[in-house]
Amino acid sequence: MKKFLLVFSVFLLVSNIVFAKTDLNCPDKILEKKNLTVLKSGVPFTYPLKDGAILECYAKRLDGSIDDFNEYNDYFVMRNGHLYSNTMHKIYKPHKKVMLKKVDRASMLNDGKTLKLYDPLWEWSIRHHMRTIKINTQTGEYFMTGTQDNWMWYRNITSSGYCRVIQ
């Protein structure tokens, strides 16, 4: 058990260092705006996005107990071939809400139309927040599942909505 805790502690330290290197200042006021942008339908787009493009998504909670995902905008910025987002920081680390964090995995599924994103957020404690997002690039439909694990209790979320590319 001690060996596991040591390995786990080292993993957390390394992952926080890796995340710290990928944090960027938000360049656009779009990512910092407080008003909710409601999208009634999605707009098709191609992936990878051009450098500097912003993918704006709007979603509503379908099920789950994480109140911060009740109705929200989710933004992704394309930089140097990678997607970055500040959504996890806005919700779980408000002091870093203007910092972008690299989305760990972004890939097209074998169907050629679904973009799948894996976006976890580890904290120094045992807390772990994670979300998986699927976006249909042909219709702009957005679907997200996520978890909030604080070791003693567990919450989940399922939401859906629409996306479009701006800028």
Side-chain angles (χ1 to χ4, degrees):
M1 183 68 175
K2 286 182 180 180
K3 199 177 214 179
F4 170 75
L5 289 175
L6 177 63
V7 170
F8 188 69
S9 299
V10 169
F11 171 75
L12 286 176
L13 178 63
V14 170
S15 65
N16 279 321
I17 291 170
V18 170
F19 289 150
K21 287 181 181 178
T22 60
D23 284 344
L24 304 168
N25 289 326
C26 285
D28 301 290
K29 296 294 181 193
I30 293 170
L31 302 178
E32 298 174 25
K33 73 180 185 176
K34 297 188 182 3
N35 296 338
L36 188 65
T37 302
V38 178
L39 301 176
K40 300 279 188 204
S41 63
V43 178
F45 62 92
T46 58
Y47 183 82
L49 304 172
K50 67 178 183 172
D51 205 46
I54 297 174
L55 182 61
E56 177 183 49
C57 301
Y58 163 78
K60 276 185 154 180
R61 177 172 61 186
L62 298 175
D63 189 25
S65 58
I66 304 175
D67 293 332
D68 294 314
F69 287 111
N70 189 29
E71 187 175 21
Y72 63 98
N73 285 120
D74 203 353
Y75 295 98
F76 300 94
V77 179
M78 184 66 121
R79 287 217 182 122
N80 301 323
H82 299 286
L83 285 175
Y84 294 85
S85 176
N86 68 337
T87 302
M88 295 295 271
H89 279 167
K90 281 192 301 190
I91 293 172
Y92 298 113
K93 293 186 175 183
H95 62 283
K96 288 186 170 184
K97 67 182 175 185
V98 296
M99 301 297 283
L100 292 172
K101 183 184 87 53
K102 183 178 169 184
V103 174
D104 273 17
R105 288 191 296 264
S107 61
M108 291 295 286
L109 295 182
N110 289 337
D111 64 6
K113 64 179 181 177
T114 305
L115 174 62
K116 184 176 181 181
L117 309 172
Y118 174 69
D119 191 21
L121 180 66
W122 283 89
E123 296 188 38
W124 282 101
S125 63
I126 297 179
R127 297 174 70 180
H128 178 231
H129 315 291
M130 180 276 306
R131 64 190 186 139
T132 302
I133 301 162
K134 290 183 181 178
I135 303 171
N136 185 325
T137 59
Q138 293 178 353
T139 62
E141 292 177 9
Y142 170 100
F143 183 78
M144 192 260 309
T145 59
T147 59
Q148 181 181 16
D149 186 355
N150 286 343
W151 191 54
M152 297 294 282
W153 52 269
Y154 183 86
R155 291 183 179 174
N156 61 14
I157 187 70
T158 303
S159 63
S160 70
Y162 300 100
C163 296
R164 67 179 179 177
V165 174
I166 53 177
Q167 291 188 352

